[in-house]
C-alpha cells in the first residue's frame, strides 16, 4: 500500500492563495489552506471570505489587446478558478471585468471549502513552516506582523515591508447625482461608472 501523499500548505486565502490551493488540489495533491480570518482580522478586510477584494472590484480591461485583458484570457485558458468565478459574478463596468465583491468572495470560499482535497484551517500562521514542509506563502501585503517578522529573520532582509491601501466603499444612495455624473471607462462601453468630482 502506497504511503499517503503529504499535503502542501498554502498560507493565505487571498487571490493568489485561493488560486494556488485550487490548482494544487485539482492536480490531485492534498492541500492545507491556512487563513487567519476571522481569528485575526486585518485593518483592510470586512469579511472572512476568501479572495476578498479590498482595494478595487475591477480586474482591469477585458480586451485582450490590453495587458490585463490578455492575462485574464491566459488564465481562462489555464482553468483559473479566480477568473472563472469573476466571469460568473461580473457586474457592468464598461470595458473592464469587475465583480460583485460579496458574491465573488463567497463563491470562491465555497468552492475551496467543498473541494475534497482541501482542508481549510482558520488560524494565524505566525511562522514559516519547517524546511521539509512544501509551502506556498501567499499572504501578500496584509501579512500579519509575527509572520512578517519571521520572514524578515529567514531572509535576513530588514527591508521587507507589508502594507496595502483600501479604497473607500460608499452606499450608492449617499451620492449626490446632481454633482456626480455617469460615464464609461476610457470612453468604452456603457456609462457604468459614477464619477464623483472632489476638491483637495
Amino acid at each position: 500500500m502506497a504511503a499517503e501523499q503529504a499535503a502542501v500548505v498554502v498560507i493565505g486565502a487571498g487571490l493568489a492563495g485561493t488560486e494556488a490551493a485550487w490548482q494544487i488540489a485539482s492536480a490531485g495533491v492534498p492541500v492545507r489552506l491556512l487563513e487567519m480570518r476571522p481569528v485575526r482580522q486585518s485593518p483592510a478586510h470586512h469579511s472572512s471570505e476568501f479572495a476578498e477584494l479590498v482595494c478595487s472590484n475591477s480586474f482591469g480591461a477585458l480586451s485582450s489587446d490590453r495587458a490585463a485583458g490578455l492575462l485574464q484570457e491566459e488564465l481562462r485558458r489555464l482553468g483559473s478558478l479566480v477568473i472563472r468565478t469573476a466571469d460568473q459574478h461580473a457586474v457592468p463596468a464598461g470595458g473592464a471585468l469587475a465583480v460583485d465583491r460579496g458574491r465573488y468572495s463567497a463563491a470562491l470560499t465555497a468552492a475551496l471549502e467543498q473541494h475534497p482535497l482541501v482542508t481549510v484551517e482558520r488560524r494565524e500562521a505566525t511562522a514559516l513552516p519547517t524546511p521539509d514542509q512544501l509551502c506556498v506563502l501567499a499572504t501578500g501585503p496584509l501579512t500579519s506582523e509575527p509572520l512578517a517578522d519571521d520572514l524578515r529573520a529567514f531572509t535576513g532582509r530588514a527591508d521587507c515591508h507589508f502594507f496595502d491601501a483600501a479604497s473607500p466603499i460608499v452606499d450608492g444612495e449617499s451620492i449626490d447625482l446632481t454633482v456626480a455624473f455617469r460615464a464609461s471607462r476610457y470612453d468604452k462601453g456603457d456609462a457604468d461608472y459614477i464619477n464623483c468630482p472632489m476638491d483637495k
Side-chain angles (χ1 to χ4, degrees), residues 13-139:
L15 290 167
T18 295
E19 187 69 53
W22 180 263
Q23 294 297 335
I24 294 165
S26 295
V29 178
V31 175
R32 288 174 45 224
L33 178 59
L34 279 59
E35 172 54 47
M36 70 179 182
R37 293 171 298 124
V39 176
R40 178 166 180 176
Q41 288 292 118
S42 80
H45 288 103
H46 298 282
S47 80
S48 297
E49 304 285 9
F50 298 165
E52 181 183 353
L53 300 172
V54 297
C55 188
S56 171
N57 72 328
S58 175
F59 288 84
L62 267 168
S63 178
S64 60
D65 67 346
R66 300 283 186 263
L70 181 59
L71 179 59
Q72 291 167 32
E73 185 54 32
E74 289 172 346
L75 288 168
R76 279 184 197 95
R77 293 180 186 199
L78 291 168
S80 166
L81 175 68
V82 164
I83 292 298
R84 181 174 71 235
T85 306
D87 289 336
Q88 293 166 350
H89 295 281
V91 296
L97 173 60
V99 299
D100 178 306
R101 294 171 194 252
R103 290 182 177 151
Y104 175 72
S105 295
L108 288 171
T109 303
L112 269 293
E113 287 179 339
Q114 293 167 12
H115 197 294
L117 289 178
V118 176
T119 302
V120 175
E121 298 179 21
R122 296 286 191 156
R123 65 180 178 84
E124 180 184 5
T126 57
L128 297 170
T130 58
D132 61 335
Q133 172 64 66
L134 189 56
C135 173
V136 175
L137 180 62
T139 56

Side-chain angles (χ1 to χ4, degrees), residues 112-198:
L112 269 293
E113 287 179 339
Q114 293 167 12
H115 197 294
L117 289 178
V118 176
T119 302
V120 175
E121 298 179 21
R122 296 286 191 156
R123 65 180 178 84
E124 180 184 5
T126 57
L128 297 170
T130 58
D132 61 335
Q133 172 64 66
L134 189 56
C135 173
V136 175
L137 180 62
T139 56
L142 297 171
T143 300
S144 69
E145 201 54 40
L147 183 57
D149 287 342
D150 192 55
L151 185 58
R152 289 182 190 105
F154 176 79
T155 62
R157 308 259 336 210
D159 57 352
C160 291
H161 300 285
F162 302 91
F163 57 88
D164 197 7
S167 298
I169 299 173
V170 298
D171 185 330
E173 293 178 8
S174 71
I175 299 171
D176 181 355
L177 293 175
T178 65
V179 177
F181 62 95
R182 292 186 173 275
S184 64
R185 181 178 175 138
Y186 309 120
D187 295 322
K188 292 183 178 181
D190 298 324
D192 296 320
Y193 290 86
I194 298 174
N195 294 267
C196 301
M198 298 180 187

